[in-house]
Amino acid sequence: MFAAVLTCLTVAGLALTAACTTTTTTQAGTDPASSSYRDHLARPGSLEKLAETDAARTLDPCGMLDENALEMVGRPVYFGVGGLLDDCLVKFDPNDLTKGITKIEMSLSVMMGVPELEINGRAASLIGAPGQSCSIALEYNEHRSFFYTAWPIEGADACPVLLEVVTASAPLLDHNPLRVNSSRIPQTVGATIDLCKAIDLAFPNQKVYVAAFDPFECDFWLGRQTRDDSTRYTVRVQPMTVSGSTYVFPEERKLRIVGVDAVEDSGSGDYCKIRANVGAAEPFLGYNRSEPEEHIEALLVSGHGCTETRRLTAAAVRIYQQGA
């Protein structure tokens, strides 16, 4: 375990400092304009999947919910971004739960299960039981299905209510509502950028195996995919409450990465996790358990070895800053 306070570090030209008062911002690696990780993909078909992920990143998850159908369920007291950037959360007035549903959420990033029904000409699958949450996966395209979930009060059956909402909402999928036009979803930097561009700065011109699925995460292996995940790294942009983003656990080390406050934690097997509060200057309204609360965007980066994970984090912060 490292000490709680580190000395200043510079990683491959990317500014990364711990407990320092000044931070340099030297560009590292190569310019993304002249080098792209997409030229070095190890898996056939990756370009097509990345293009689909790029398109999914532009979609408005709240635009995939029919507002008239939601009003039949109850009075929304919150209707906006959920726990992830690809989620839309609708929270209903707890004093008027006539249909027995406390909240409904939809996500852009779920694959289809075994299709068992059809809704508006789209394949769908349903998982749920009376008294439990109910989920419906609804086919969007050949690569992706959207996931709708309803949570009931005790004793209520969420599935019939959710089926009505999804049936009413299914035609919206034909119109591809865009995040940039949304009145519900905040227009944040993290919602617009391809996080995998950090590969160009941290590991330029290396062969990479990219798992292209989640529009707000870059999940990749350097070289080829391996069972032990020894060369696997992930970068995710994640909404966090302002209060939560400033909390430092005892096992975490404070860092400054390209001028951004961050914390680092080492796990077993040389596994390393870093959180960088890149959106601290641009808070937005989100939902935290029982009420709306200010959130920011953070980058969550993980991989084997803190040296390489710091390098990737610094690159991801730079990509975020360039997109601001």
Side-chain angles (χ1 to χ4, degrees):
M1 182 69 68
F2 291 105
V5 180
L6 305 179
T7 57
C8 292
L9 301 173
T10 301
V11 181
L14 286 165
L16 184 157
T17 63
C20 297
T21 57
T22 61
T23 304
T24 59
T25 55
T26 305
Q27 180 81 23
T30 58
D31 186 340
S34 61
S35 174
S36 172
Y37 73 94
R38 299 192 188 206
D39 295 331
H40 305 284
L41 297 171
R43 181 172 61 165
S46 292
L47 280 175
E48 178 186 2
K49 292 182 179 179
L50 283 166
E52 193 280 332
T53 302
D54 291 339
R57 191 179 301 115
T58 68
L59 297 175
D60 173 16
C62 288
M64 307 294 181
L65 284 162
D66 183 88
E67 297 196 16
N68 291 328
L70 292 173
E71 290 176 359
M72 297 297 292
V73 176
R75 185 179 73 85
V77 292
Y78 177 82
F79 191 170
V81 67
L84 301 173
L85 285 184
D86 58 0
D87 292 346
C88 180
L89 173 65
V90 182
K91 184 76 174 178
F92 297 103
D93 185 347
N95 298 314
D96 184 23
L97 300 177
T98 56
K99 292 289 187 75
I101 303 300
T102 62
K103 61 181 179 178
I104 289 177
E105 192 165 11
M106 84 81 57
S107 171
L108 303 174
S109 296
V110 177
M111 290 183 177
M112 172 64 71
V114 178
E116 55 192 27
L117 66 155
E118 186 176 287
I119 300 175
N120 196 47
R122 296 178 180 272
S125 59
L126 185 149
I127 304 172
Q132 301 176 5
S133 65
C134 182
S135 298
I136 295 177
L138 182 65
E139 179 187 39
Y140 175 63
N141 58 31
E142 61 180 320
H143 300 289
R144 187 179 304 273
S145 295
F146 296 157
F147 205 59
Y148 296 80
T149 303
W151 282 265
I153 60 175
E154 186 175 355
D157 187 355
C159 286
V161 178
L162 183 63
L163 186 57
E164 291 179 3
V165 171
V166 174
T167 299
S169 301
L172 298 174
L173 276 61
D174 298 328
H175 302 289
N176 299 316
L178 299 179
R179 182 179 291 262
V180 70
N181 298 325
S182 178
S183 61
R184 304 286 186 182
I185 295 292
Q187 308 302 317
T188 62
V189 173
T192 64
I193 59 177
D194 174 11
L195 292 172
C196 282
K197 288 183 178 180
I199 298 172
D200 289 327
L201 297 181
F203 310 109
N205 301 315
Q206 292 194 44
K207 207 74 172 175
V208 291
Y209 183 107
V210 178
F213 177 65
D214 189 324
F216 304 106
E217 179 181 75
C218 181
D219 182 1
F220 69 98
W221 289 256
L222 290 176
R224 60 183 179 85
Q225 186 181 31
T226 58
R227 289 186 177 182
D228 64 3
D229 287 343
S230 58
T231 61
R232 185 181 187 179
Y233 297 89
T234 61
V235 184
R236 163 175 285 278
V237 59
Q238 171 78 49
M240 295 191 66
T241 63
V242 170
S243 58
S245 69
T246 59
Y247 185 80
V248 179
F249 288 93
E251 66 272 17
E252 292 178 330
R253 301 177 289 277
K254 289 184 178 182
L255 304 174
R256 288 279 290 176
I257 300 181
V258 197
V260 172
D261 287 335
V263 292
E264 176 184 86
D265 179 25
S266 298
S268 60
D270 200 29
Y271 187 73
C272 189
K273 297 185 297 182
I274 297 175
R275 184 189 81 236
N277 296 333
V278 285
E282 299 290 339
F284 57 90
L285 189 65
Y287 202 84
N288 182 35
R289 297 184 181 178
S290 60
E291 60 184 3
E293 185 176 336
E294 278 199 328
H295 285 59
I296 67 164
E297 287 185 326
L299 292 178
L300 307 183
V301 186
S302 63
H304 285 274
C306 281
T307 298
E308 296 300 305
T309 305
R310 291 174 195 147
R311 180 196 304 272
L312 179 60
T313 304
V317 172
R318 295 286 310 204
I319 293 300
Y320 188 97
Q321 292 171 338
Q322 290 169 10

